[in-house]
Amino acid sequence: MRTADYQHLKQCLQDEVIGAVKTRPFSWFRVVHRALKTPDRRYYFWWRIASYLYQNGGKRQQKIALRIGRQLRNKYGLDISLNAKIGTGMRISHYVGIVITGSSHIGRNMHIRQNVTVGVKYDGQPGDVVIGDNIDIGANCCIIGDGIIIGSNVTIGAMTFVNKSVPDNTIIYNQRESILISKEKPLEIVAV
């Protein structure tokens, strides 16, 4: 057991499962109690445990971790790789449709919404997706690329496609334009 990884696990469980009580020291009893009594925090508890076992355990622990990961994927409808490196303070607003690959390195305080994909173009691709601290990712976003870096304090708007690096302290979104075509006058196009 590597001490730094174990301390990271405890810090993540303290922030994500126990919550705002930072004055009291870490307690496994409080973590398990909060995970059992608060349904919206169970995913964080089980994903952190499975990720820790997968990244730091032997073959048996990795098998257990994969089983937990499979059950989480089936129950919650999202697929965050157990090999993804995610800092403390992960928040998920809606669990449905989120995919984060194992080649992702995400900093502290990530807030992510439904139907978001963070990944690479193809398997075995060199370069990872690196995302900084304090990031807010809107619904239906795709962050796809090889070796892209998204800085800290970045807000990514809903339905945004990101395939290039983004500097710190930035808001990024794709401008969208709706096109209406009249059924009565097919040659008349109205841009909204």
Side-chain angles (χ1 to χ4, degrees):
M1 177 183 326
R2 294 188 292 197
T3 307
D5 292 334
Y6 184 67
Q7 293 302 321
H8 176 72
L9 170 67
K10 286 176 31 176
Q11 184 64 46
C12 290
L13 292 174
Q14 174 84 24
D15 290 351
E16 297 162 10
V17 178
I18 293 177
V21 182
K22 305 240 183 202
T23 57
R24 297 168 72 184
F26 178 83
S27 163
W28 279 105
F29 176 78
R30 272 203 318 274
V31 169
V32 172
H33 181 265
R34 186 62 62 100
L36 292 175
K37 295 291 183 182
T38 314
D40 61 332
R41 297 187 184 182
R42 284 186 196 140
Y43 180 83
Y44 304 121
F45 173 77
W46 286 112
W47 186 84
R48 289 294 182 182
I49 296 293
S51 178
Y52 176 78
L53 289 175
Y54 186 79
Q55 293 178 18
N56 298 303
K59 287 190 180 214
R60 182 169 182 181
Q61 287 85 3
Q62 287 181 341
K63 264 182 130 171
I64 293 168
L66 288 172
R67 182 173 294 143
I68 293 169
R70 197 169 28 255
Q71 289 173 345
L72 288 173
R73 186 174 55 244
N74 293 339
K75 181 175 182 175
Y76 291 96
L78 74 160
D79 186 12
I80 299 178
S81 172
L82 298 177
N83 210 22
K85 314 282 189 291
I86 299 177
T88 62
M90 171 174 63
R91 279 189 319 147
I92 301 172
S93 290
H94 303 283
Y95 294 105
V96 178
I98 297 172
V99 177
I100 299 177
T101 63
S103 61
S104 301
H105 301 275
I106 301 172
R108 293 178 286 117
N109 301 324
M110 170 189 67
H111 184 197
I112 192 168
R113 290 167 185 83
Q114 70 272 14
N115 298 321
V116 171
T117 301
V118 178
V120 292
K121 293 179 185 175
Y122 55 87
D123 286 338
Q125 169 181 312
D128 295 338
V129 176
V130 179
I131 299 176
D133 298 334
N134 304 319
I135 183 135
D136 191 2
I137 303 174
N140 301 311
C141 290
C142 285
I143 302 170
I144 307 282
D146 51 344
I148 65 172
I149 297 171
I150 296 177
S152 296
N153 303 316
V154 171
T155 300
I156 300 174
M159 297 173 48
T160 300
F161 179 76
V162 180
N163 63 350
K164 293 179 176 38
S165 293
V166 177
D168 291 346
N169 304 314
T170 304
I171 297 172
I172 180 172
Y173 63 93
N174 293 113
Q175 288 186 319
R176 285 172 279 298
E177 184 176 294
S178 297
I179 298 175
L180 304 173
I181 300 174
S182 173
K183 289 183 178 182
E184 294 153 1
K185 301 175 188 173
L187 299 176
E188 185 178 322
I189 298 175
V190 179
V192 179

